[in-house]
Amino acid sequence: MKKLSKESKQVSRRAFLGTAATAAAGITILPSNVIAGLGHKAPSDKLNIVGVGVGGMGFANLKNLESENIIGLCDVDWAYTGGNGVFDRYPKAKKYKDWRRMYDEMGKDFDAVVIATADHTHAITAAHAITMGKHVYVQKPLTHTVYESRLLTKLADKYNVATSMGNQGSSGEGVNLTTEWIANGEIGEITKVEAFTDRPIWPQGLNTPENGQWVPETLDWDLFVGPAQMRPYNEIYHPWNWRGWWDYGTGALGDMACHILHPVFVGLELGYPTKAQGNSTLLLQDCAPTAQSVKLTFPKRKASKKMKIKLPEVEVYWYDGGIKPMLPDGWPEGKNPNNAGGGVLFHGTKDTLVCGCYGKDPWLLSGRTPNAPKFRRRIETSHEMDWVRACKETAANRIPTASDFSEAGPFNEMVVMGVLAVRLQGLNKELEWNGESMEFTNLNDSEEIRTVIKDGFAIHDGHPTFKKTWTDPVPAKEFAAELIKHTYRAPWSLPDMPA
């Protein structure tokens, strides 16, 4: 990891946007539209924002932030990025391929960063920005691993920066209503939840390419791989299809569960699961399976004051790759449970609550329309602009975003726990999890695990032949530990975990 200069570790000259000095003074920067007589924003009212990973969703995020100053753009592939028009749209922004160089050279100038890289580089780009005192917006999933989620949660708390994960449904009315209906006891106590997505829409279940390809001149493959283990470039990984490869992505579960399971995590006041179990179609060493299912068990919780129900042990089931839960009794004939890419069924003792992806369009199976007290903050701006609002408030007076890392971090641990369950399914048992220590407690020293490297299925002379190439058996404890906390490729490294 390239060492950041002393200057880039200092808080920027616009440090009034969230530093200890203004926290002590109790100053809050107000947007000009709430100050009488002002019809514009003075330059000092605007955030200076840089983007890391601006070829896809990052560009969409920046478009929602154009009331601010977009001063830096970073992407490892300038053909992909240049082709989408982001460089032309922000011609005054400085352009980089290496985020480390951008942080080093522009550290005094930017206040906040939007990160929309491949999953495996979310944590490292966000963590170092936070230690520089920068506000961060990170696309979902927040991180690639449990350890990385815990790290960002603690760093954000230590440095008092404004944060948000890019699961935009968390700012929507569907999550609000679902949470409030549950809290008001509209469906009774909940002991089972089922959720699904229609993803993946990118290739999964693929054998690893046997041959590499020439790296395009516009792509810095070494920077794309970053902290992951180096492998030859192949167009099957980039752009976008990296989601289906374990080194870079988290499959359909990691991509979509951050949208679909958010009302489950918030509405049921979940913490760390205690048990996890996963299964799938053929599990390969390098590529996520075509379809998966996961069961996570959460213990009995102490309900907050707003809850009118108890929170007993609950089992949360996840399905993807075209698999959906069976429809409950009383389901309206012909009604598709898939709403905007997925759906959730909350099975209560009094009724069943149904919502779509992002918590969209909640409804009760009974047909009754609840009238529950509204206690969640309503967000009238975009998900991104609510983050800008938080950036401009002092740490002492800041109202957290709808997906602040204090919530998004533990929630993302739930999501990537599903990935762990799938990848450890070869142990053929339910895994017991200690969330505080981030370890499985029922793995013993004698257990081993192996995974299919290549599926050699073929047809010869009209007859099927089945031949799988397997990894050598490895100690299960070591394999699980590496999935929980990756060993980064030198010279990449993370900041230390705060105490």
Side-chain angles (χ1 to χ4, degrees):
M1 172 74 197
K2 179 182 175 182
K3 231 177 155 184
L4 294 169
S5 72
K6 183 177 179 181
E7 279 193 335
S8 51
K9 290 182 181 178
Q10 296 175 352
V11 180
S12 79
R13 57 189 170 80
R14 298 185 187 275
F16 59 81
L17 299 170
T19 64
T22 53
I27 298 171
T28 298
I29 303 300
L30 296 176
S32 60
N33 61 7
V34 302
I35 303 175
L38 293 182
H40 66 282
K41 282 188 176 182
S44 60
D45 286 336
K46 294 186 177 184
L47 286 179
N48 284 344
I49 298 173
V50 298
V52 183
V54 294
M57 192 63 195
F59 189 15
N61 295 140
L62 292 176
K63 288 178 180 177
N64 286 331
L65 294 166
E66 289 181 343
S67 61
E68 311 307 304
N69 297 322
I70 311 301
I71 67 169
L73 302 170
C74 180
D75 202 284
V76 298
D77 187 347
W78 281 17
Y80 180 50
T81 307
N84 74 3
V86 65
F87 288 160
D88 293 335
R89 194 174 182 96
Y90 310 110
K92 294 181 180 180
K94 294 182 179 180
K95 297 188 288 292
Y96 295 87
K97 283 191 174 180
D98 190 335
W99 60 268
R100 298 169 298 179
R101 183 179 174 190
M102 182 171 72
Y103 285 10
D104 201 44
E105 294 182 1
M106 300 188 70
K108 294 183 297 181
D109 302 320
F110 73 90
D111 308 303
V113 58
V114 173
I115 296 166
T117 59
D119 299 353
H120 73 301
T121 49
H122 284 184
I124 195 169
T125 48
H128 285 286
I130 292 172
T131 63
M132 296 168 64
K134 309 302 183 183
H135 308 296
V136 292
Y137 180 105
V138 182
Q139 264 305 327
K140 52 77 201 168
L142 184 64
T143 68
H144 203 236
T145 69
V146 169
Y147 178 87
E148 292 168 344
S149 290
R150 189 73 56 90
L151 176 66
L152 292 193
T153 303
K154 290 194 171 187
L155 285 175
D157 180 66
K158 177 179 178 179
Y159 288 91
N160 291 320
V161 294
T163 59
S164 184
M165 179 167 71
N167 55 331
Q168 60 269 25
S170 60
S171 290
E173 186 64 2
V175 174
N176 292 334
L177 293 177
T178 298
T179 302
E180 290 162 350
W181 292 1
I182 290 171
N184 202 46
E186 298 292 340
I187 66 170
E189 294 182 4
I190 301 163
T191 58
K192 181 180 179 181
V193 178
E194 296 178 291
F196 74 96
T197 181
D198 59 5
R199 304 304 198 270
I201 52 176
W202 51 86
Q204 289 191 185
L206 303 177
N207 285 330
T208 306
E210 295 184 358
N211 298 307
Q213 297 173 336
W214 289 108
V215 180
E217 291 184 3
T218 57
L219 170 65
D220 192 317
W221 180 242
D222 183 68
L223 289 178
F224 176 89
V225 173
Q229 298 306 303
M230 178 54 68
R231 68 170 66 238
Y233 164 78
N234 191 288
E235 63 188 0
I236 202 168
Y237 305 127
H238 171 82
W240 204 65
N241 287 340
W242 51 261
R243 292 191 179 280
W245 297 91
W246 291 132
D247 277 356
Y248 317 123
T250 47
L253 198 163
D255 181 58
M256 294 303 293
C258 288
H259 291 311
I260 295 169
L261 290 181
H262 185 253
V264 181
F265 186 83
V266 175
L268 296 181
E269 300 185 349
L270 299 178
Y272 303 135
T274 53
K275 298 176 184 178
Q277 188 174 358
N279 63 66
S280 70
T281 53
L282 178 64
L283 178 66
L284 293 162
Q285 175 182 242
D286 294 330
C287 195
T290 305
Q292 310 166 110
S293 64
V294 171
K295 182 181 80 169
L296 299 176
T297 304
F298 293 84
K300 178 181 178 181
R301 284 94 58 218
K302 182 179 180 181
S304 63
K305 291 183 179 179
K306 61 180 176 284
M307 281 283 182
K308 295 183 179 180
I309 57 170
K310 294 180 179 179
L311 298 174
E313 180 181 85
V314 60
E315 294 178 344
V316 178
Y317 293 82
W318 170 266
Y319 309 90
D320 64 43
I323 305 172
K324 298 187 290 290
M326 295 297 177
L327 300 177
D329 292 341
W331 185 267
E333 289 189 14
K335 185 175 179 63
N336 190 344
N338 187 343
N339 184 351
V344 185
L345 300 170
F346 294 86
H347 299 280
T349 53
K350 292 165 44 179
D351 209 331
T352 298
L353 191 162
V354 185
C355 65
C357 184
Y358 317 107
K360 277 177 61 67
D361 308 320
W363 56 282
L364 300 187
L365 193 59
S366 65
R368 183 173 55 85
T369 301
N371 183 22
K374 291 179 168 54
F375 58 78
R376 281 179 60 86
R377 180 174 67 96
R378 263 52 183 183
I379 297 169
E380 303 298 332
T381 62
S382 68
H383 191 58
E384 292 91 342
M385 285 306 296
D386 190 56
W387 169 66
V388 167
R389 183 269 316 155
C391 294
K392 293 182 178 182
E393 294 173 350
T394 64
N397 298 325
R398 181 178 297 134
I399 298 172
T401 63
S403 200
D404 181 85
F405 286 5
S406 61
E407 177 182 289
F411 170 42
N412 198 75
E413 289 189 36
M414 171 190 180
V415 172
V416 293
M417 176 56 59
V419 175
L420 283 173
V422 168
R423 298 196 68 183
L424 293 169
Q425 64 182 278
L427 295 174
N428 295 310
K429 67 180 183 181
E430 190 168 42
L431 303 166
E432 296 176 2
W433 178 249
N434 183 319
E436 291 294 335
S437 61
M438 294 184 287
E439 64 179 349
F440 293 107
T441 58
N442 64 332
L443 301 184
N444 61 61
D445 294 335
S446 64
E447 285 180 288
E448 294 182 325
I449 193 168
R450 61 179 188 149
T451 311
V452 175
I453 299 173
K454 177 183 178 181
D455 180 13
F457 174 81
I459 297 177
H460 298 284
D461 299 326
H463 298 285
T465 59
F466 302 89
K467 182 180 179 182
K468 292 181 174 64
T469 305
W470 293 80
T471 63
D472 292 330
V474 296
K477 277 188 174 182
E478 293 179 14
F479 184 74
E482 177 62 28
L483 297 182
I484 295 164
K485 180 186 179 184
H486 294 330
T487 301
Y488 277 19
R489 179 173 68 104
W492 305 88
S493 64
L494 289 167
D496 293 335
M497 178 77 74

